[in-house]
Every structure is written in C-alpha cells, then in structure tokens.
Amino acid sequence: MAQQERATRTRAAVIDAAAAEFDAHGYEGTSLAMISKTAGLSMGAVTFHFASKSALADTVQEEGRRRTQAALKRATNHSAAALETAMRVTVELTGLLEREPLVRAAVRLVRERPGSDVWSDIWLPSVRELLEEAHEQGHLHSDAQPADVVLLAEMLTAGAEVYLRTRLGSGARFDSASASLERAWQLALDGIAPARPLADPASG
C-alpha cells in the first residue's frame, strides 16, 4: 500500500511539474528534462509514469478538462436567473485560470497542439443555452441577440486569460482577473455611454 501511495504521489508531482512548464513555456518550449528538474525527480521516475512528452500533455489536457467541467457544474448548480448564471460561469472559469496553473497549461496546450478540442467547447454550449433562456424570459435587451452575447462572453473570457498571462509572470501586483471580469460584465449590462441629455428648451 505504501508503495502504491508513493507511486501516486510521484505521478501527481510529475503532472504538476509538467503543467507548470507547459503553462510557462508551451508545448514546444518544454522538455522532459525540464519537467524532471522541476519535479525534483529522476528522468527514469518521469518516464516510468509517462513515456513521452506527448503522453504528459494529453494527461494535463484531460485533467484540465475535468477541472473545467467541475467548475462549470459549480457555477450552474443553483437557482439564479439564466443571465446571472451565464455570467457566473465565465467568472468561475476565470477564477479557475487564475488559481490553477494546470488549467492554464491545458488551455495553452489546446491552442498549440493540432487536433486538440477547443477549451471553450467544454463550457460555451452551456452559456449559449443559458443566454437563449434569458432571451426567452425577456432578460436581454430587445436589440441584444443571444448569439452576440455568447460571442461577448467568449471574448471576455479569452481576454481574461490574456490579462492573466501578461501579469502572472511580471511579478507586479494586479487586480483579480475574476473580479475584473465581473466589473466588465457590469459595464456591459449597464452600458458605458451616458443617456442622451434632454435638449435645453431655452436653446430651441
């Protein structure tokens, strides 16, 4: 039993090290030697669990998918209105990206490895369904088509990832990406242009 537990811990350490390297350097910029060094394990210990960098990348992507699905379930597992829930999904996923290098690594690997599923395919269908429901309930402006709001949700979430990538490695303090996304959503809901002032009768 102790040997099995040790093997499980070693495998987890390899996956975490791989995620850190893939997140920082991408697929092409990462080697098994780098992963071995980051994990503090011999190359033999790494290849005992994963025969190749490709196999490790597959595992990181699959674990990233699993954690994303869990976050999606958390965000939708309540009785809030559909529009609020759609927003909550994007905020929850942004928080996930902020907290977990493994998820950021999975998202980066999806972009860099041909044939990989798109990360947004995991959660965007749920957001689309929620926004269509919000539209049917009359909770969207009459000029706001669900497809356009879905695109807004996708672009805001993608922008949050870029925001994180440009700041996490800088060492500088920065605002929480999920909190910033909530504020961006509020701006979108409230509108950023002031209401047109009434004409001054004296000027007519």
Side-chain angles (χ1 to χ4, degrees):
M1 183 64 71
Q3 185 175 358
Q4 184 177 353
E5 289 176 355
R6 193 160 51 245
T8 299
R9 288 196 301 270
T10 299
R11 186 177 188 276
V14 173
I15 293 171
D16 286 345
E21 294 300 325
F22 287 139
D23 179 36
H25 305 292
Y27 185 74
E28 293 300 332
T30 296
S31 66
L32 286 178
M34 293 165 65
I35 294 168
S36 170
K37 182 177 180 180
T38 298
L41 297 167
S42 69
M43 183 66 76
V46 172
T47 55
F48 175 81
H49 292 280
F50 299 96
S52 66
K53 181 174 75 170
S54 178
L56 251 174
D58 288 342
T59 300
V60 168
Q61 285 181 237
E62 182 54 39
E63 179 62 18
R65 169 179 285 275
R66 189 189 67 76
R67 295 187 190 186
T68 299
Q69 290 169 333
L72 176 62
K73 185 175 181 179
R74 287 194 301 273
T76 55
N77 190 27
H78 55 79
S79 58
L83 179 57
E84 180 185 340
T85 302
M87 293 167 50
R88 187 190 298 269
V89 168
T90 64
V91 172
E92 178 75 26
L93 293 174
T94 298
L96 189 70
L97 287 169
E98 193 163 8
R99 294 188 305 271
E100 301 202 22
L102 188 144
V103 178
R104 290 197 305 273
V107 174
R108 181 168 183 170
L109 287 170
V110 160
R111 285 199 301 269
E112 296 181 359
R113 301 180 76 205
S116 296
D117 293 336
V118 178
W119 182 61
S120 61
D121 286 349
I122 303 171
W123 54 269
L124 204 56
S126 294
V127 169
R128 183 177 294 110
E129 184 177 326
L130 287 163
L131 290 171
E132 287 171 353
E133 181 181 340
H135 184 260
E136 291 170 2
Q137 293 170 342
H139 293 168
L140 296 183
H141 190 282
S142 58
D143 292 335
Q145 294 302 310
D148 294 332
V149 188
V150 170
L151 180 60
L152 175 64
E154 186 173 18
M155 294 179 74
L156 285 173
T157 309
E161 190 216 347
V162 174
Y163 174 89
L164 282 167
R165 288 207 175 278
T166 57
R167 286 161 176 77
L168 283 171
S170 69
R173 292 176 61 85
F174 62 92
D175 290 342
S176 160
S178 54
S180 297
L181 183 60
E182 281 194 274
R183 291 196 297 272
W185 268 118
Q186 198 58 54
L187 282 172
L189 291 176
D190 293 344
I192 59 174
R196 182 176 298 176
L198 295 174
D200 183 357
S203 64

